[in-house]
Amino acid sequence: MLTPTSVKFDIGDGREVTIETGKMARQADGAVTVRLGNCILLATVVANKEPKEGQSFFPLIVDYQEKFASAGRIPGSFFKREGKLSDSEVLISRLIDRALRPLFPDDYLCDVQVLVSLISSDPEVMPDALACLAASAALAVSDVPIQEIISEVRVARVDGKMVINPNRSQLATADMDFIVAATEKNIMMVEGESKECSEEDLIQAIELAHNAIRIQVKAQEELRDKKGITAKREFTKPYDNPELKAKIAEFATEKIFNIAAAASAKHERSDAFKKVEEELVTFLGEELPEEDQALIGKYFHALEKEVVRNMILDKSIRLDGRSLDQVRPLEMEVDILPSPHGSALFTRGETQSLTTVTLGTPDDELLVETAATSNYSKFILHYNFPPFSTGEVKMMRGPGRREVGHGNLAMRSLKQMMPGNDYAYTVRVVSDILESNGSSSMATVCAGSLALMDAGVPLPKHVSGVAMGLISRASDGKWAVLTDILGDEDHLGDMDFKVTGTRDGICGIQMDIKVDGLSMDVMRQALAQANRGRMHILDAMYETMPAARPEPKPHAPRMEKLIIDREFIGAVIGPGGKVIQEIQRETGTTINIEEVGQTGEVSIFSSQKESLDKALEWVKGIVAVPEVGEVYESTVKSIMPYGAFVEFLPGKQGLLHISEVSWKRLENLDGVLTEGEKVKVKLTGTDPKTGKFKLSRKVLMPKPEGYVERPEREQRDGGDRRGGGFRDRGRGGDRDRDRGGDRGFRGGRDDRGTPPPMEAQEPMFDE
């Protein structure tokens, strides 16, 4: 019997989390399971003992995967097995990766693989909030040399109250939803969305999350101590040459500063730095040992980073000459492409997004599946980052993790302003980055907002975004916040965070912090500066597109939604879909019907307004309740010796008796009515016994002068003489028919939908 080591802690509201090690995956360097309710995650970590030869970066691999068996499901793919990671799994993998990566020493270059698997699913537990806890715990009980223990929690505001790791049903009603990662002392990562929260609301959520994380860090330390992990493994550190480093600094510092302070464009600056590096290689000479030659680039780029950081802190000079809080020049256009349903070109400095919007039907909804859920999304955003946007040559291999992550941030931000479920369109936004030098994801948010309004999507407000940076110096405590950072400033900074929102609050945030001891006061100032940058961009957006177009463009599909009683859904669909297929075929429209509570939602789509109106009237006719006294435009369906069967509403027929066709006495209807003819009739009543409709044409015609009403004759036994019914002639026939006709009959058809045989029909009127 395997005896695991475990610890437990209260998540804060009576729910208990258990972390366990020593039972599963024992050949990994570290392995744990984390359990909350019936949700169980298995996390493993394995690290190579030595770095690969010539390795110059830290190769960390983080994969999160949900096993469908964890929820008792079989994957819906053709192969019936889990394949490549879904977008949802990629996003959770990124949440773990971004939190773990800063924990490793800068000089640790061995391959590390962290795998987290959902092995048991609980429909009410969100596993993404536990995944980083599991990964950190696996590292904590291993000898892999991490510097600190971290954890990650979700904090959401539900009904005005902040909740740590809310269950799935609670999260559905939350107006704030953030994932926060931290060590015991420092915030490491924040990502999430909100319905226009304030900066102070965000600060409070982060502080509350940090308190919860401290409890989880202590639990991991307790598990580590129980496991007996007292030291981390030694590792081979990369070769270092302080003398060479000093020599490079002496040669290149001033040259780097002059280039950095020249306020040149991205490629011009890059070429200038490359030229200095080539001069440095020549200066050092070819006789430099091979191991030292490999250090030249490393030391030069580290010096470049240091010089630029000091220039910004000491001189308040940025690489492109802007002030610290200045946004780059903005250029915006809408309706730039003729065929898409909406389009916008957004340019901010050397970053540019061409974004399009396509309006589709509910058939175009995106199925998003996880182990525990299977939902359809009516709002889709895809982000593409082709290599030419940075002047590079690379193979195109489809969207990577970066594309998925940046697209998700933009999607979550714009989603806050999208109309609700009563908006029947499926909306797809595609952002193609044509140029990139800093925060193309924020360009996607701005271009997406403009393109959506250009498409006539009723966004109540514009959403914009801005990327911020922080540079700090530990030696003297000096720091600076940068608005609208460049790509190079992102690389050399201590914190980069992206904030999106409207004029009234924050809609989305993504923050990565690379420095210890960041105070909340610094974060408050950074958020306040981000607010000013966001407002500046919003002003320009409103000048370009003040509000959404009142309706979609002429070539976009038209949509109407009709709410009907649930009992009419079957009538609109028809047996085997016959009715709805006929409507679509005859009108050229697309119709979707969804049952919602006690009602049905009928969505009708067409590129032609005339077709849309025709289908809408058709459906309205089917669900309409005939009103006595109303006049209807009817169609003659068939003619009998005793009258004509007419359809006065879709699917609703009645007998226009020969005596109700004209004030004159007619022997037959030859030459009076023909099949397919349109004729106006008035609904004069319904038979109280059978519910059949009484129709008249003559009451809509002027009564002849001197006309005298004929007295009604008595009914014969065995039938109701009021219009529209039939009886069975046979003495052994249906007793119900003898008493007034089949009660399920409508418009000349029995309850099976077929007319009674002619020889069994007899008009229940005097002729």
Side-chain angles (χ1 to χ4, degrees), residues 99-112:
L100 293 185
R101 197 170 287 273
L103 303 182
F104 293 86
D106 291 338
D107 52 3
Y108 184 70
L109 303 178
C110 298
D111 286 73
V112 178

Side-chain angles (χ1 to χ4, degrees), residues 195-215:
K195 296 187 184 301
E196 300 179 288
C197 77
S198 68
E199 282 75 9
E200 195 56 38
D201 288 339
L202 174 61
I203 293 291
Q204 291 176 7
I206 293 173
E207 290 177 331
L208 181 66
H210 200 182
N211 291 334
I213 286 170
R214 291 187 177 103
I215 297 172

Side-chain angles (χ1 to χ4, degrees), residues 185-332:
K185 296 180 180 179
N186 300 308
I187 301 295
M188 305 296 291
M189 188 273 298
V190 181
E191 180 165 322
E193 62 188 79
S194 64
K195 296 187 184 301
E196 300 179 288
C197 77
S198 68
E199 282 75 9
E200 195 56 38
D201 288 339
L202 174 61
I203 293 291
Q204 291 176 7
I206 293 173
E207 290 177 331
L208 181 66
H210 200 182
N211 291 334
I213 286 170
R214 291 187 177 103
I215 297 172
Q216 301 188 8
V217 169
K218 284 185 171 59
Q220 293 178 65
E221 291 172 344
E222 182 184 348
L223 183 68
R224 177 195 62 194
D225 295 341
K226 283 187 176 182
K227 185 76 184 298
I229 304 297
T230 57
K232 295 297 184 179
R233 73 175 65 160
E234 296 293 327
F235 60 92
T236 303
K237 298 186 178 182
Y239 171 69
D240 191 30
N241 187 335
E243 291 80 12
L244 177 63
K245 187 175 184 179
K247 196 172 183 179
I248 291 174
E250 183 181 357
F251 174 85
T253 298
E254 186 176 353
K255 298 177 185 293
I256 291 173
F257 177 83
N258 291 336
I259 295 169
S264 54
K266 173 184 176 181
H267 289 293
E268 182 182 342
R269 184 170 61 248
S270 178
D271 291 342
F273 281 140
K274 187 175 182 180
K275 185 177 180 181
V276 173
E277 187 175 1
E278 291 171 352
E279 293 173 355
L280 175 62
V281 172
T282 303
F283 167 74
L284 294 173
E286 297 181 0
E287 297 181 0
L288 205 66
E290 185 177 343
E291 61 271 22
D292 285 345
Q293 289 181 8
L295 294 176
I296 295 175
K298 174 185 175 182
Y299 289 156
F300 178 79
H301 293 301
L303 177 65
E304 182 185 323
K305 179 178 179 179
E306 181 184 354
V307 169
V308 174
R309 286 168 59 90
N310 289 335
M311 179 185 76
I312 293 172
L313 288 171
D314 298 330
K315 308 288 185 181
S316 294
I317 298 175
R318 296 177 66 174
L319 288 170
D320 58 358
R322 283 180 293 148
S323 61
L324 300 185
D325 61 352
Q326 186 178 356
V327 177
R328 287 172 288 175
L330 299 168
E331 295 289 340
M332 306 174 200

